[in-house]
Every structure is written in structure tokens, then in C-alpha cells.
């Protein structure tokens, strides 16, 4: 098994489109629960079915890298806002995880005894970006975005968007938290800083954030809970193929 130190978080990621080994894909099917298999079958297109399959294989294999539990033995439930959490087996370690997927990338962030949030976005995707900032960002963020040169606004949009998604997922509340009730201060030197409207009743010192780009196409953001007085939580990233690069448990 792998070691996950208390002051660290590990981020595992995979390109689902690069996995075409029938043996691996069959193994992924074999570890899904009946409910997951049913959900996978609901996807209309093969691309969505493969992405879901790889997502489930990734989280199950990653968790088994840190615990003597076979991938198929993990049991999950969703909280009241839809975030998946570990419900079994009995005696499993206190791991926290978060998942995110987009075209060409599936990722899983895992840590011990702390809340974590993760978002990945395909920056090449079609659709509105900067034009919707005023609807979803705080006034401070929208103004900061508009001050940037036009050719740099789209990149900054994805910085804000992924960070916002990572935070609301770390809180486990999704869009129950209004996106315009907190602001990121990205034009400052040093660590990424956040501020909250009083209604959110959260402490900026409680959170650590990171941004990264993968392959020039994907933006990755993390939100990691810090304990009082704790320093920086180290975030390590691992490219992998489930069941090839990640241990499989006992």
C-alpha cells in the first residue's frame, strides 16, 4: 500500500480516451456495483459510458492504494447535496476524496481526515465562458476579469471557474453555495486567497487552493481544508492507468 502522510494530498489523473485494452475495461466493469453499472448504461453515447467507467475504476483503485480493501468492496453514499462519500466497508480508514471529469481527463483527489474539492475543465470546449462571468462570479471577480487584455480573459475565466467549483465541492454543498458569495484574489502575489460574504460564515485561513494546467488543454483546481495552525498541505500529482499504475488492495 502507498503512504498518505497527514500533511499531504494526492491527485491521480487519467485520460480515459487512451484506455483501449479490453482486459482493463473488463476489469473496470467487474469492480462496479450494480447501481454503478445501471448508471453507466444510462449514458447515451459510448464516450460518456467509457468516461463514467474509468471514473469509477479510478476512485476504487486509488482508495485501495491506501487501504487493505479490494476495489469492488468500497461502498459509497451521496450526501444531501449529491457529493459521494465512503460508507464502507467497516473499519476502512478515514479517507476523503473528490472526483472530477471532463473530456479527455478524469481525476481523483484524496487525503486523510480533511475536506477536499477538485475540479477539472477542458479549456478547449465550446460554449459561453467570459460572457457568463457577470451571472456567476462576484462583482470583484467580474471586474478583475474585465480589466485583463481580451486575449487573456478566457484563461482567467477558467481559473475562477475551476477554483469556485473546487471550493463548493470541498464544502459538500454544491450550488447551495451561491457562486457570487465568495471571491478569489488572483492578481496578488503569493498563495491564492479567498474572501467570503458574511452569510457564508467561513474562514479564509481554513482553505488552501491550487491551480495547474495539464497538457495545455485542461485546467485543474484543488481546495484543501487546513487544520488550525497547519502549514502548507503538499499536493502531489500522479498520471496513471487504473489497475496498471495504482495498487489494487489486498
Amino acid at each position: 500500500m502507498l503512504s498518505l502522510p497527514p500533511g499531504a494530498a494526492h491527485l491521480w489523473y487519467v485520460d480515459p480516451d487512451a484506455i483501449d485494452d479490453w482486459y482493463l475495461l473488463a476489469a473496470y466493469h467487474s469492480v462496479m456495483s450494480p447501481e454503478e453499472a445501471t448508471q453507466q448504461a444510462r449514458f447515451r453515447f459510448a464516450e460518456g459510458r467509457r468516461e463514467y467507467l474509468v471514473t469509477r475504476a479510478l476512485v476504487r483503485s486509488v482508495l485501495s492504494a491506501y487501504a487493505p480493501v479490494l476495489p469492488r468492496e468500497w461502498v459509497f453514499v451521496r450526501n444531501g447535496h449529491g457529493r459521494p462519500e465512503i460508507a464502507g466497508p467497516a473499519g476502512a480508514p478515514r479517507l476523503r476524496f473528490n472526483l472530477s471529469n471532463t473530456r479527455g481527463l478524469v481525476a481523483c483527489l484524496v487525503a486523510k481526515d480533511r475536506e477536499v474539492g477538485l475540479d477539472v475543465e477542458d479549456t478547449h470546449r465550446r460554449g459561453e465562458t467570459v460572457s457568463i462571468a457577470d451571472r456567476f462570479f462576484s462583482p470583484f471577480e467580474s471586474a478583475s476579469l474585465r480589466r485583463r487584455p481580451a486575449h487573456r480573459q478566457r484563461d482567467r475565466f477558467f481559473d475562477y471557474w475551476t477554483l469556485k467549483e473546487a471550493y463548493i465541492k470541498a464544502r459538500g454543498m454544491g450550488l447551495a453555495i451561491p457562486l457570487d458569495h465568495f471571491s478569489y484574489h488572483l492578481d496578488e502575489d503569493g498563495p491564492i486567497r479567498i474572501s467570503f460574504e458574511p452569510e457564508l460564515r467561513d474562514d479564509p485561513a481554513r482553505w488552501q487552493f491550487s491551480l495547474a494546467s495539464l497538457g495545455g488543454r485542461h485546467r485543474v483546481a484543488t481546495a484543501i481544508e487546513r487544520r488550525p495552525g497547519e502549514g502548507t498541505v503538499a499536493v502531489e500529482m500522479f498520471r496513471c492507468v487504473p489497475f496498471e499504475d495504482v495498487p489494487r488492495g489486498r
Side-chain angles (χ1 to χ4, degrees), residues 13 42 93 112 121 123 137 143 156 173 179 195 199 230:
Y13 65 96
R42 293 194 180 108
K112 286 183 179 178
E121 297 288 340
T123 62
F137 294 173
R156 180 49 55 92
M173 298 175 65
L179 294 178
S195 58
E199 296 87 342
E230 185 177 39

Side-chain angles (χ1 to χ4, degrees), residues 59-118:
V59 66
R60 288 177 173 277
S61 61
V62 163
L63 293 176
S64 289
Y66 305 102
V69 176
L70 288 172
R72 65 174 175 268
E73 293 177 348
W74 294 102
V75 179
F76 304 101
V77 295
R78 292 184 178 272
N79 72 4
H81 298 281
R83 182 178 70 175
E85 299 174 351
I86 296 171
R94 296 174 60 85
L95 295 170
R96 306 292 291 178
F97 73 94
N98 204 231
L99 294 166
S100 187
N101 56 277
T102 188
R103 178 66 186 270
L105 184 66
V106 174
C108 177
L109 179 65
V110 61
K112 286 183 179 178
D113 295 313
R114 69 175 78 239
E115 301 291 355
V116 294
L118 170 69

Side-chain angles (χ1 to χ4, degrees), residues 5-6 23 51 67 78 86 103 109 135 147 161 168 229 237 240 246:
Y23 181 83
E51 190 173 286
R78 292 184 178 272
I86 296 171
R103 178 66 186 270
L109 179 65
R135 296 209 322 255
R147 286 195 299 268
W161 189 265
I168 64 175
M237 300 178 67
C240 70
V246 185

Side-chain angles (χ1 to χ4, degrees), residues 212-232:
S213 293
L214 291 174
R217 174 180 170 184
H218 295 104
R219 190 81 85 254
V220 180
T222 67
I224 299 174
E225 184 182 32
R226 286 191 299 211
R227 302 183 183 94
E230 185 177 39
T232 301

Side-chain angles (χ1 to χ4, degrees), residues 128-174:
E128 292 183 284
T129 55
V130 176
S131 61
I132 66 173
D134 294 336
R135 296 209 322 255
F136 294 104
F137 294 173
S138 71
F140 172 85
E141 292 168 331
S142 293
S144 177
L145 178 67
R146 303 293 183 187
R147 286 195 299 268
R148 300 182 69 80
H151 69 280
R152 299 179 64 186
Q153 289 182 6
R154 184 178 171 86
D155 274 349
R156 180 49 55 92
F157 170 88
F158 281 108
D159 290 343
Y160 282 128
W161 189 265
T162 52
L163 284 166
K164 283 181 169 292
E165 287 283 332
Y167 171 71
I168 64 175
K169 291 174 70 177
R171 289 285 305 272
M173 298 175 65

